[in-house]
Amino acid sequence: MKRVITFSSIAGAIAVALFVSVELIAAAGAALWSIAGLMHLSQQAAIILAALLGVPTLWAVTKICQLSWAAETDPENN
């Protein structure tokens, strides 16, 4: 079946992706801040930790965007 692409489906996909992604990025930032603070990490160690947390967070954000687009443009949902 063909995807339903209208202004409202595009706006819905963007809204869902932004909402969930911002929550996920805030959680990753809070985890980075708390771990670096509790362990008194140096700046270099905090950057390494940020990279370790950033890669799975970036993957999750891209997956969230893909899933929100698929859900909002699915013909069965419209």
Side-chain angles (χ1 to χ4, degrees):
M1 291 200 297
K2 192 171 180 179
R3 296 267 176 207
V4 176
I5 300 174
T6 62
F7 178 74
S8 61
S9 67
I10 293 171
I14 291 171
V16 168
L18 279 175
F19 178 72
V20 178
S21 297
V22 166
E23 296 290 327
L24 182 65
I25 292 169
L32 173 65
W33 173 75
S34 63
I35 292 170
L38 283 172
M39 297 190 172
H40 301 288
L41 297 178
S42 66
Q43 186 174 4
Q44 289 176 340
I47 291 171
I48 292 170
L49 180 62
L52 290 174
L53 286 175
V55 171
T57 302
L58 183 61
W59 175 82
V61 167
T62 57
K63 197 65 175 172
I64 287 166
C65 292
Q66 291 171 354
L67 290 173
S68 69
W69 177 256
E72 290 294 326
T73 59
D74 189 8
E76 293 181 7
N77 291 337
N78 293 312

